[in-house]
Amino acid sequence: MPLTHERLPASLILMLAASAGFGVAALYYSQPMLGVLGPDIGASARAVGFVPTLTQLGYALGILLLAPLGDRFDRRRIILAKAAVLVLALLGAAFSSSVAPLLAASLVIGLTATLAQDVVPAAATLAPEAHRGRTVGTVMTGLLLGILLSRVLSGFVAEHFGWRAMFVVAAASIAFIGAAVARGLPRLQPTTQLGYGALLGSLAKLWQRHGALRRATFAQALLSVGFSAFWSTLAVMLHGAPFHLGSAAAGAFGLAGAAGALAAPLAGRLADRRGPERVIRLGAALVAVSFAAMLFAPWMAPAARLGLIVVSAIGFDFGLQAALIAHQTVVYGIDPGARSRLNAVFFTGVFIGMATGSAIGALLLAQWGWPAVAGLGVASGLGALAVRLWPAAVSRPAATCGSAA
């Protein structure tokens, strides 16, 4: 149940942020290690390529099929259960002797890494309304740093200690998080008694009923298109002329993204004080401007071009994270009794945007080069801004979906 303090203890917020970060990081540890992992277990490049695919597929299924359970059951118990299974899955990956058990473990890793999507609604529930944006922003900083720094960490550990060691380290980190959650996270009362089928069915009802949810999902999905297009094509672009840089250099760009992720707490404070709409519009505009700056890269010297890409990456990531936190403030305020389901709908849209951006970005880079990828980023920022500037439809007040949806 919600705490009665004016603000949550800093130790609790830190624990929630770490839980979200280490949980989501489990999705990305494998990506920099595929080159050494495949030969070690005798798997082809094509077969081992299914490892991140199944991990992402598991995460998408987990968001859609498991995240809504946070409204039906105590989120603390759900987080602990997922953490226990995630530890076993990571250890299963570490000790896989062939590709088949590794692929099975990857799917389970994706499903249970969705504990991060239980932590964020828990933070929104525990935080007092006046500080909800700031609290969610801080927790999201942990999640975003987990995404951006996981590849850097796994590349380093795999290079010096082997890929199996990285999975063991990941399992240990989740076990530590599970112990901290068991000790420090209060119980959270369910907000609905709906059965599982009705719970999933209510997702469509929430989508139809709440225009604010649709606007937030559309806008953030558009921003995710540019974000994913950039990060999924960056390594390929840097590998070619005129840079000829390796994967380690591409991974180091994650540090630039991490700098942008520090926008999350600031965005949360601004959303609390000035309202989320202004923060979202400013964030979308910053995304468009940052990508537009990269359109000038072909006319610059290689060293200056790299500097421009770094600055632009910080800028668009700052804008995207600011919009994300403000959008979550909007979404979590729609219906307190349906926060897990609202979160599931919202992040399903974000995931679709990221998958779309990755596919389109690869196509644009192959056909027309890096300027086309930057152009897609500009379009994604302007599209999100247009969604937020478009007048919201006036709709009748909607009943909550906590116990009756």
Side-chain angles (χ1 to χ4, degrees):
M1 57 193 305
L3 299 180
T4 57
H5 306 299
E6 182 181 353
R7 295 186 181 183
L8 296 184
S11 58
L12 176 57
I13 296 175
L14 178 62
M15 184 266 289
L16 290 168
S19 300
F22 282 109
V24 78
L27 294 172
Y28 302 101
Y29 289 135
S30 66
Q31 292 181 5
M33 305 190 298
L34 297 180
V36 296
L37 186 154
D40 192 54
I41 60 174
S44 66
R46 181 178 180 181
V48 83
F50 283 103
V51 170
T53 300
L54 285 175
T55 306
Q56 294 289 346
L57 176 61
Y59 194 69
L61 290 174
I63 290 176
L64 187 62
L65 301 178
L66 300 181
L69 293 174
D71 293 332
R72 178 63 179 82
F73 301 100
D74 176 12
R75 288 192 189 95
R76 177 178 177 274
R77 294 177 60 188
I78 293 174
I79 294 169
L80 290 173
K82 287 184 178 179
V85 178
L86 180 55
V87 168
L88 295 177
L90 289 166
L91 290 175
F95 295 104
S96 295
S97 57
S98 64
V99 71
L102 179 62
L103 291 176
S106 298
L107 181 64
V108 179
I109 287 171
L111 284 166
T112 51
T114 53
L115 68 86
Q117 297 299 334
D118 298 302
V119 170
V120 181
T125 299
L126 292 169
E129 184 175 357
H131 301 287
R132 182 171 299 137
R134 181 177 185 177
T135 302
V136 170
T138 302
V139 173
M140 283 300 296
T141 297
L143 186 147
L144 298 167
L145 289 176
I147 293 173
L148 294 165
L149 298 181
S150 55
R151 298 178 182 90
V152 180
L153 175 63
S154 65
F156 176 83
V157 173
E159 182 176 343
H160 291 85
F161 305 102
W163 65 270
R164 297 181 189 275
M166 184 62 246
F167 281 120
V168 172
V169 170
S173 70
I174 299 299
F176 175 79
I177 288 300
V181 168
R183 180 181 178 86
L185 185 65
R187 297 183 181 276
L188 296 158
Q189 295 298 322
T191 57
T192 181
Q193 296 300 315
L194 290 174
Y196 183 65
L199 197 68
L200 293 184
S202 68
L203 298 179
K205 295 180 181 179
L206 287 166
W207 178 262
Q208 295 170 357
R209 186 172 301 174
H210 298 295
L213 174 62
R214 295 193 297 272
R215 283 163 62 87
T217 303
F218 279 133
Q220 196 63 43
L222 284 168
L223 293 174
S224 298
V225 168
F227 174 86
S228 182
F230 175 89
W231 289 110
S232 63
T233 59
L234 178 66
V236 178
M237 187 273 292
L238 292 177
H239 183 72
F243 304 113
H244 303 291
L245 297 175
S247 57
F253 270 77
L255 299 175
L262 299 179
L266 175 61
R269 293 188 189 98
L270 290 175
D272 288 335
R273 296 175 183 176
R274 302 292 182 90
E277 190 62 49
R278 181 177 298 181
V279 176
I280 295 168
R281 292 176 180 178
L282 288 174
L286 183 55
V287 168
V289 170
S290 298
F291 275 109
M294 281 191 277
L295 293 173
F296 295 95
W299 292 277
M300 303 174 69
R305 193 183 306 182
L306 282 176
L308 175 64
I309 293 173
V310 169
V311 173
S312 297
I314 294 173
F316 80 71
D317 210 74
F318 195 99
L320 180 134
Q321 311 308 350
L324 176 61
I325 300 308
H327 272 137
Q328 287 180 288
T329 302
V330 172
V331 169
Y332 292 145
I334 291 172
D335 182 356
R339 282 194 177 118
S340 287
R341 284 168 287 165
L342 291 166
N343 187 69
V345 173
F346 177 70
F347 273 99
T348 297
V350 170
F351 181 89
I352 291 172
M354 292 186 70
T356 302
S358 179
I360 297 177
L363 176 63
L364 292 177
L365 183 68
Q367 294 294 325
W368 294 288
W370 184 251
V373 177
L376 177 63
V378 174
S380 71
L382 293 178
L385 183 60
V387 170
R388 299 310 314 186
L389 291 173
W390 193 267
V394 179
S395 60
R396 62 180 175 80
T400 63
C401 300
S403 57

